[in-house]
Amino acid sequence: MQTGDVTTPFGRRSTSLAQVKRQMAIKNPDQNTRIEKWKVFRDVCEARERLGLQDRALAVLDALLTFYPHGELDSSRGLVVFPSNAQLSVRAHGITESTLRRQLAALVEAGLILRRDSPNGKRYAHRNRDGEVEQAYGFDLTPLLARTHELAHIAQDVAAERTRFRRTKEALTVCRRDVRKLISAAVEEGASGNWGQVEAVYVDILARLPRYPDRVQLALALDEMQLLRTEILNTLEMQLKPENMHGNAVQNERHIQNSNTESIHESEPSSRKEQDGSLEDEPQTKRGANGREKAKPEPIKAFPLGMVLRACPQIADYGPGGRMENWRELMKAAVVVRSMLGVSPSAYEEACNAMGPENAAVAMACILERSNFITSAGGYLRDLTRRSERGEFSLGPMLMALLKLNDGGDRRTA
């Protein structure tokens, strides 16, 4: 029996070059190739959405496989089955003939079966004297055997994606619970901070989730929710540290509020001492109101690169090929942007020392994104640096504001 050849349908049913191409792409399986037919069927069921099939198409394929007399698909035994529509309808749980025809066409379109139509369009077989099938007209199952490995790979990928979706959803649920309870605890116990604004951000993140989100949408919401949780914990940590228990609670409230990119109009200093990297009015050691030395605050934690690029898409234009693949490329691009915006090397170096090189690069990306509203990029960066040294600045609110601003536009991620 011939398999893998190009064939056209009987009667008024037309063919297309796409169908011819799919048939030509199916190679004749090796005569020793065998695969358990129900294993292939399970892979097709797993990959159903990727193949564009409905549940009823799977019922029809199941019925077709029941007409194949062997447990394994074996090309040496022939792979054409030839049941009538009435027989197929019974084994496919009694679906109507019109539905049966549509689902058979869908299986052909998905490249899972081939039509082997007879001269008169009927399905039958020619047998020899021993009763063995010599030539059959009906539905050829060769594509299932030829695409065994491909279908298995698709099924594994679908299963892995389902696992990633479930874990992302679980992580978002836990993070959402943490944020909700942390806000409630802070409000009930009178912790300093703009908790009304934090509550509004929390509600906004959840409101932008569709009713049936996909994994990408869940991942975006999770990134933003994790950022919000980090900001809450940073705010509470500043108040719960022993040295801050009796300090000025006002600075903790500024931790969330002092990231307005439109409020700074400080000009860029240009003294010789500044160009050398030292400032007379910025001592290395800070002193509190009681005169005691105040330790330099810990560096700001770096944020996920994908989140930074969603909040600040313009920085990607300065990466290789207009993309950012890693933090090193972001930091290189930040140096270019620094020079373009007229920020002095000393100002950027001080920012790197105060925030860390990754966060300084993120700050430059944020400044670039809002450059039309900032009078002096250098002066603004110096102000952020000073507030970072005093523990009064965090990149989180700035990124959250830009994420919300750019939510309706195009996002370029690594």
Side-chain angles (χ1 to χ4, degrees):
M1 184 183 68
Q2 293 180 341
T3 59
D5 300 333
V6 174
T7 182
T8 57
F10 168 79
R12 296 182 179 181
R13 288 195 302 267
S14 62
T15 190
S16 66
L17 294 181
Q19 291 175 339
V20 173
K21 181 179 178 180
R22 282 196 296 269
Q23 292 184 45
M24 294 175 65
I26 298 174
K27 299 180 180 179
N28 288 325
D30 187 272
Q31 291 296 317
N32 296 323
T33 302
R34 296 179 180 84
I35 188 68
E36 205 271 312
K37 64 180 181 181
W38 297 119
K39 179 183 183 303
V40 179
F41 178 72
R42 287 192 295 271
D43 290 340
V44 172
C45 291
E46 195 75 46
R48 175 179 63 85
E49 292 185 1
R50 298 276 184 94
L51 297 172
L53 298 176
Q54 299 178 355
D55 293 340
R56 291 188 177 182
L58 298 180
V60 173
L61 181 60
D62 176 83
L64 285 173
L65 288 173
T66 62
F67 285 100
Y68 187 75
H70 310 289
E72 294 181 329
L73 297 177
D74 185 352
S75 58
S76 65
R77 295 177 176 178
L79 293 170
V80 177
V81 293
F82 40 91
S84 66
N85 282 355
Q87 291 172 316
L88 268 177
S89 177
V90 170
R91 295 202 186 182
H93 312 295
I95 63 176
T96 63
E97 184 170 345
S98 60
T99 301
L100 177 64
R101 292 180 185 277
R102 285 198 305 271
Q103 302 310 325
L104 286 171
L107 291 172
V108 173
E109 185 68 22
L112 297 178
I113 61 174
L114 292 175
R115 292 184 185 273
R116 299 290 179 189
D117 285 352
S118 66
N120 62 3
K122 302 296 183 180
R123 300 173 200 148
Y124 56 86
H126 294 296
R127 301 177 184 271
N128 59 20
R129 293 182 178 180
D130 297 327
E132 297 177 349
V133 175
E134 290 184 333
Q135 179 71 47
Y137 297 102
F139 296 105
D140 192 347
L141 304 177
T142 299
L144 289 175
L145 184 59
R147 298 179 63 185
T148 295
H149 299 296
E150 177 192 354
L151 294 171
H153 178 75
I154 295 175
Q156 292 172 3
D157 188 53
V158 169
E161 178 66 19
R162 186 184 300 113
T163 299
R164 289 192 292 268
F165 176 87
R166 183 175 62 253
R167 292 180 179 177
T168 303
K169 187 175 181 180
E170 290 174 351
L172 178 59
T173 300
V174 172
C175 189
R176 174 182 176 179
R177 180 188 65 200
D178 292 345
V179 171
R180 176 68 272 169
K181 292 193 175 184
L182 286 171
I183 293 174
S184 299
V187 172
E188 291 173 2
E189 299 186 25
S192 299
N194 192 344
W195 301 113
Q197 179 183 350
V198 175
E199 175 82 15
V201 173
Y202 168 79
V203 172
D204 181 65
I205 294 173
L206 297 180
R208 283 185 278 114
L209 271 178
R211 184 173 183 180
Y212 299 105
D214 57 27
R215 188 185 64 83
V216 174
Q217 293 168 327
L218 285 177
L220 292 176
L222 176 60
D223 285 346
E224 296 179 15
M225 193 68 74
Q226 287 176 334
L227 175 59
L228 183 61
R229 180 175 61 181
T230 300
E231 286 306 304
I232 294 173
L233 291 175
N234 286 344
T235 301
L236 295 176
E237 182 182 17
M238 294 175 63
Q239 301 181 54
L240 297 177
K241 281 184 177 180
E243 60 269 25
N244 292 335
M245 290 299 289
H246 303 289
N248 186 1
V250 176
Q251 75 171 32
N252 298 317
E253 184 172 354
R254 292 201 302 264
H255 181 69
I256 289 182
Q257 294 177 329
N258 286 351
S259 296
N260 185 356
T261 60
E262 302 181 17
S263 63
I264 302 301
H265 301 281
E266 180 180 336
S267 60
E268 172 77 351
S270 57
S271 66
R272 180 174 302 275
K273 288 187 177 182
E274 177 195 0
Q275 299 299 328
D276 294 336
S278 60
L279 293 175
E280 293 180 350
D281 60 342
E282 287 295 321
Q284 296 297 318
T285 304
K286 305 294 181 182
R287 294 182 179 273
N290 56 7
R292 292 185 300 177
E293 289 188 359
K294 183 178 179 181
K296 187 176 180 179
E298 297 179 358
I300 306 170
K301 297 179 181 178
F303 299 95
L305 180 61
M307 180 185 300
V308 174
L309 296 180
R310 290 197 304 275
C312 309
Q314 293 186 41
I315 192 70
D317 293 336
Y318 300 88
R323 292 183 61 84
M324 291 288 173
E325 302 293 342
N326 50 57
W327 280 100
R328 183 180 299 275
E329 291 179 356
L330 177 65
M331 289 187 286
K332 288 182 179 179
V335 174
V336 176
V337 171
R338 172 202 67 73
S339 177
M340 182 189 71
L341 295 180
V343 178
S344 66
S346 63
Y348 188 64
E349 182 180 357
E350 290 172 7
C352 290
N353 292 335
M355 306 178 190
E358 293 87 355
N359 289 290
V362 174
M364 285 306 308
C366 293
I367 292 173
L368 173 65
E369 200 68 26
R370 302 291 287 165
S371 58
N372 293 337
F373 303 93
I374 298 176
T375 303
S376 169
Y380 182 57
L381 182 62
R382 286 191 182 279
D383 182 78
L384 297 184
T385 301
R386 287 195 291 269
R387 286 193 282 154
S388 178
E389 290 173 343
R390 295 195 297 266
E392 298 175 359
F393 169 71
S394 172
L395 285 167
M398 185 183 296
L399 286 173
M400 291 295 292
L402 291 173
L403 275 171
K404 186 175 182 180
L405 182 66
N406 295 329
D407 183 63
D410 295 334
R411 292 176 175 177
R412 286 172 284 182
T413 59

